[in-house]
Structures are given as C-alpha cells and as structure tokens.
Amino acid sequence: MFEIDPISSKDKKFLQKHGIHLEHIKLCAYSDRDRDQNPASVILLASAQTLYLADPQKEILESYPFSILSSIRIEEQLSTGRLIAENESGIFLLTAFTNFCKDSMLLFVKYIEVLMRGEPLQIDDKDLPDARRCPRCGKRYPDRDRRLCPHCMKKGTSFKRFSVFLFRYRLDLFLTFLSLAGLTAMSILAPYISSGFFFDQVIEGTGKFYGEILLVLGMLLATKLLQMGSTMLNNWITSKVAANMVFDLKKTIFSAIERLSLGFFTARQTGGLMTQVNEDSDRIYRFFCDTVPRFIINAAQVIVLTVLMFVLQPILALIALGLVVPTFMVVRHLLFRNIKTLHARTYSNSKSLNGFLADVLSGARVVKAFSGEKSEIDRFSVRSHRLAASDRKLGVFNSSVWTLVGLIPLAGTMLVWGFGGWMVMSGSNGMTYGKLLTFIAYMGMIYAPLNFFSDMMNQTADCSNALQRLFEIMDAQPEVCEAEHPIELGDHIGKIEFDNVCFSYQKGRRIIDHVNFSIKEGSILGIVGHTGAGKSTIANLLMRLYDVESGEIRIDGKSVRELSFRSLYQNIAIVSQETYLFMGTILENIRYARPEADFTEVVEAAKCAGAHEFIMRLPDGYHTRIGSGFQELSGGERQRISIARAILKNPKILILDEATAAMDTATERKIQTALANLIRGKTTIMIAHRLSTLRDADRLIVIERGKIAEEGTHAELLQVENGVYKKLFTLQEEALKTAGILEET
C-alpha cells in the first residue's frame, strides 16, 4: 500500500471493524475538512476496484466502485480545495481540504486515475514519503526534484563549489593579497617606529639613535608612502576586477535561469528573479573580492601581532589575548545563527516587496481602470511594513548587541593600561614607556580585526544565502530537456500527430486528457472550445514549452522529444493572443524572428501583416523605439507587429492562437487575406473563439474539458444535432445579428 499519509493505529482499528482489509488497499491519504468545510480527519482509500471514504469521528464509511465513476478531480480555491467525482448522475463532492493537504490530494488523484484505468500501480521515486523529506531533520525539500535540504546542508559546501568560479581571477586576487600584505606590513611597522623606537631609541638619552628625529620622520614618511602605494594598487585592482566579476556573476545567474523550462517562470515572480540577478551577484562579489582578502590579511596580522606581543611582554599578552579573544569568539559563535536568520528574513521580505512592485507597476493600467489604488497601497504597506520590521530587528540587533560586544575589547585595553602602567613605574621585567605604547598600539590592531570579524558575520550570512539561492537555480533540472542525441527534421515538414496525449500543469488537474488527432502536411486544423478548455495548451505542447505526461507528439513520424531544439523552433512559429514586444525599435522587434534578415524582407513581412501603413505614420518609421518611456502602440498594432515577426520567420508549421483577437473586423479581414497567402503550403493550426475565421479550415476539432468532443469540417459539425460546435456557432451568429453586423435571414 502506498501511504501518502500514514494511517494511525486507531484508524486502522476503525477500518478493520467495518470490514476494510488493509492488505487489499493500494492507496491512502488524509483530508482535513469534510464536505461541509468543517475540520475533520477524513481517510481516502483505494483498492484495485473501489474508492473508500471514511470519517472515524462520525462513524462514516462510504464506498464508490470505479465502475460507476467516470472521473475524479480537484477543484482548487484560494486557500482550500474540493475533491469531486463524476458519475452518470452528475458531479458530486467527496471531501474538502485546506492547502495543508493539497500535495496529498494531488498525489491521491494522480494514482487513483491509474487504478481506475486498470493499470498496475507504479510509484515514482520522487513521490515516496522518504523522497519528499530530509532524512535528518524531517522537513520537506523546497524542490521535490532536488533532494537537497538547506537546513542540513554543510555551510562550506557552497563556498567550496564557488571556488571553481574564482579560479579564473586567480592572478587579480593574488595581486590583491599582495597589496593588502604590503599594507598590513606597513601598518605593523608604523606603530613601532612612532612609539617604541621613537621613545626608547631616539628621545631616551641612552638610545642608539638619540636625537636623530629627522631619521624617524624619514622612516615614517617612507612607511606612509608605501602604505599609499599598496592602497592605490589594491584600489586599482579592485576597480579593474569589479565590473568583470559582477558581469560574470550576473551572466552566470541569468544563464542558469534562462536554461530552465517555462514552468519555472510561471511559478515565480519577476521581481524576485530580478533581485536574485542584481543583488545576489553584488553580495557574492563583495564577499569574495573584498571580505575574504581582508579576512586573510587580518588573520595573518593577528597571528604576527600575537607573536610580537608575546615577545614584547608575555604577561600583558596573556591578559590582552588569553581573556579577551576567547570570550569574543565564543560570543560571536553564539550570535551567528541569529544574524543569519535575520538577514535571510530581510532578504525574503525585500524579494517579496520587489516582486509585488514589478507586478503592480506592470499592471498599472488595470489598477487605474478598476480604481484599485487604495487596495494596492494597502498591500504595499503590508509588505513594506514587513521589510521595515525585519530591517528594524536587524538594525536593533546590530546596534545593541554588537555595541555590548564591543565592551569586551575595551575591558582588555583597560586591564593592559592598568597593569602595564604599574610595570613601567616599578621597572619590572624591563618594561619601558616606549614598549608599553607599542604594545597598546599592537593590541588595538588586534582588536580592530575582531570588529571586522563581527562585521564579516553579516557578509558571510548574506553571501551564504545568496550562494545557496544561486546553486538551487543552477542545480534545478529543466522540465523540458533536449535529447542526448537529438535528431533533425527533414526538408518536407508538416505532418503532426497527437497520440493519446495527457498533460497537467499541476498533478491531479488534467488539462489535456487522452487527445488524439493528426494533421496532414500543408493542411489547416482549426481548434475551438470554451475558454480554459486546453486549446492554447495544445500549441504549447507541440512547441515543447512543456512535456506531455503520457502519450506522444510526432512531427513527420519523429517524436518531438527526440528533435533538437534548434530544428523544432526553426520550423515552428506561433502568433499568440498575448503579444509581447521588447524594448527597442520596431525593426528590431520584427527582425527578432530572423536577425540576419535585410530591411526589404522586414518591410515585406510588415506589409503582409497589414502593419506597414501605421509604421510609416510613426515619427521614425521602422526605427521608432517602442516600450517603456517610448512610443505607445495599440493592442491591434502590437498584434500586427507580432504577426509580421512570424511571417518573417517563414516557418513550415504555423500556429495562430487568437492571432486576430485584438483587431476590428475591417483590419481582421485584411490580415486574413494576407494570412491566406502566408499559410499556403504550410501546416497550420488556427485557434480561435471567432468561429467565422475557421470556415476555410480543412478540419476542426472541438476541445471540451481537455478532451476532443467533436471533429470534422465546418459543414459536418453544423449538422451534429445538439453539438457543441453548432451551439457555439449559433450563439455567435445571434450576437453578431444583435450587434447589427449580420443581417437577419
């Protein structure tokens, strides 16, 4: 039995009491709501022939043989869902559930459909309970297809992987270390010259260089000049590397995102991805090119100064280092986890706010049209308040906790001043005023890196989170992958076959259900149906924007899974109802389909699409810039440029998905005439709500709830009594007559 949710011993007794033998059960899951949306613990069971629904608290047990059920599916709502079934009497509710049980319900529907088809139950490894949770902490994996738990992942793993990227900058990083090493050496030498050497060897009458003040000034000047030279070298290298490395990082992150399938983008907000590309790359750069070199140099400085301090005065060194540094490091370790959590929360709230802003600003027209300003301001305030609260907590933590932590070095300094001053006055252990000043200076130089180490905790936390997000994207597997040994399409391209194709955007919600049809080379297939029936999904599957769950799609007898992406996309063009134009000139947007096309070809494509006339009326013609801040185009104008783009590509297979939906009747007729020339000799799929545009199609299929309800020619479908197509056509004709577009007959 596949226990999606394990059955408790108490519920097992209830089931056995009512004659349910668990050895015959194939599938089990729990729902947390009953039919009335009340909290409950409803058990869903399935044997090879029967669905059982049990509510032990209410002593309810119902059975539904598969023979009387035609389908079982999920209806999703905002925070809840409903598991419904259908039989010859209609649709009825089995149980409700909250989003907490959503994954369980989706898996239950996925596998009960297998049982209803009479097929043997084979469980995917990724659906097993052990595959969905981390074996160490028991928490769910963020990505079911990637068994990596961020809670248990070793903290150094990400940094180790990223070191391969840093290897290409090894020379620049070496020069950075070299300049910082010179800077550190001069920093250590300067206090000795200005303190110990100056007081004990120059001012003191018994000193070897008594009275040679100019010598000290010259040494100090040389030291400062060397410090300036090291600083200038470091700044020059940093400026040189910064732009290149940030560019490489952003390119790496963007390339990792771009290789993923369309499903990745539909599940994420644009603003969140923009945050990852821009902010994460800056965080990673600052850490490895600024923080890490300084950490290494400061660590070396601490080691050298520690040796020097023990040489100068071991007792004071023990007081200054033996008490202060261990205490500081223990406190740092205890606080690190809190800091990382606070930084992760701040980033998450920032990403949420950026995503919200990208969505609202993109939909500003809708907000204005529906007077939603106040609502959006309220939503913005909620997200902005969350970010402000997390920033406030982080700021309070840094300003209060780290201020208190700063008292630890201060206590060490006070002890050294007190005990060292006593040693100078008593003359014990050869302690002199110059040695004490040098020791105090070195002690301050040791305590300063300790403050840097505390600041480094914040940067390490930020970089660790950024690297984890980067590798999660890089390790994510595209849902649609090119075959290991892809094949190319031939010269005569056109025959398309859908063989028993099934597809769901979400498991358990089937959008395409066992669809079978074929299109002859050079013919036109029209696809009609209600909104949401799955028409556009068929086009997406043909282009392999998504992969089918089962069945096969073939072009000229070759499975699209075996074709190379280059061959597939070179031979298929789509004009969608959702037009998108890039920021740039109209010429660049049309030429996007074929960058090597010359200007004459672009103009011919625009004429064919009925776009040339309005383009020439624009200020700069084909060189007019469109997009944010530039020339605005109407919906029909944008659609015609999109059509021109497809015409320029001149594909063997053409998909028109509501291509003329945004146009008036006169413009639509012009474009239909142009498209008639374009589609001649091409295999064409036309998806349309306006059935009059499909009269000349060689064949029509009607999609209803993901299945083919009817198929035939326009004339044949009109002869089907009570047919779906006939009803749709009749309704549209009546609407056109009412609008005065068609005359009464």
Side-chain angles (χ1 to χ4, degrees), residues 133-334:
R133 293 182 179 273
C134 173
R136 292 183 62 184
C137 65
K139 296 181 179 180
R140 288 182 182 271
Y141 293 122
D143 186 348
R144 287 175 57 188
D145 296 324
R146 181 172 178 247
R147 300 183 62 180
L148 178 63
C149 178
H151 306 283
C152 302
M153 185 173 64
K154 292 182 180 179
K155 305 305 178 187
T157 303
S158 297
F159 295 100
K160 184 178 179 181
R161 286 186 61 183
F162 192 73
S163 62
V164 177
F165 178 86
L166 291 175
F167 187 73
R168 70 184 70 170
Y169 295 96
R170 56 191 180 277
L171 179 59
D172 294 313
L173 292 176
F174 173 74
L175 292 176
T176 301
F177 289 135
L178 192 63
S179 62
L180 288 174
L183 186 61
T184 303
M186 294 303 103
S187 300
I188 294 174
L189 185 60
Y192 171 72
I193 296 173
S194 61
S195 299
F197 180 80
F198 183 70
F199 281 99
D200 294 342
Q201 302 295 329
V202 178
I203 294 179
E204 189 68 35
T206 58
K208 185 183 297 185
F209 299 96
Y210 175 71
E212 298 288 343
I213 295 178
L214 290 177
L215 174 63
V216 176
L217 293 177
M219 294 172 65
L220 285 174
L221 179 60
T223 302
K224 290 297 181 182
L225 288 175
L226 287 173
Q227 278 184 310
M228 289 176 59
S230 298
T231 302
M232 290 176 62
L233 177 62
N234 178 259
N235 292 340
W236 178 77
I237 296 170
T238 301
S239 301
K240 175 176 173 291
V241 175
N244 292 334
M245 190 169 183
V246 170
F247 167 76
D248 280 350
L249 277 169
K250 289 183 178 181
K251 183 179 178 182
T252 299
I253 298 173
F254 184 75
S255 299
I257 292 174
E258 279 293 294
R259 71 179 179 83
L260 298 176
S261 303
L262 189 61
F264 172 85
F265 300 95
T266 56
R268 287 164 174 81
Q269 287 185 309
T270 302
L273 293 176
M274 290 171 60
T275 301
Q276 289 189 244
V277 173
N278 291 319
E279 295 186 13
D280 282 355
S281 57
D282 290 335
R283 285 188 176 94
I284 294 170
Y285 162 75
R286 286 196 302 268
F287 180 78
F288 284 101
C289 288
D290 183 32
T291 304
V292 171
R294 292 186 180 277
F295 168 75
I296 294 174
I297 295 302
N298 282 325
Q301 177 177 304
V302 167
I303 295 172
V304 172
L305 290 174
T306 300
V307 173
L308 291 175
M309 289 170 67
F310 272 99
V311 171
L312 282 172
Q313 183 47 253
I315 297 176
L316 289 181
L318 284 173
I319 294 173
L321 304 178
L323 295 175
V324 176
V325 176
T327 304
F328 185 89
M329 297 304 291
V330 169
V331 173
R332 185 188 76 86
H333 176 74
L334 294 175

Side-chain angles (χ1 to χ4, degrees), residues 308-379:
L308 291 175
M309 289 170 67
F310 272 99
V311 171
L312 282 172
Q313 183 47 253
I315 297 176
L316 289 181
L318 284 173
I319 294 173
L321 304 178
L323 295 175
V324 176
V325 176
T327 304
F328 185 89
M329 297 304 291
V330 169
V331 173
R332 185 188 76 86
H333 176 74
L334 294 175
L335 295 176
F336 179 78
R337 183 170 297 176
N338 289 335
I339 290 177
K340 184 174 181 180
T341 301
L342 290 172
H343 275 268
R345 190 173 299 158
T346 299
Y347 177 87
S348 177
N349 290 330
S350 174
K351 182 178 178 181
S352 174
L353 181 61
N354 289 340
F356 169 80
L357 285 172
D359 289 344
V360 172
L361 295 178
S362 299
R365 183 175 299 176
V366 177
V367 174
K368 291 290 183 182
F370 289 92
S371 300
E373 292 91 344
K374 186 179 183 303
S375 174
E376 297 305 329
I377 290 172
D378 292 339
R379 292 174 63 198

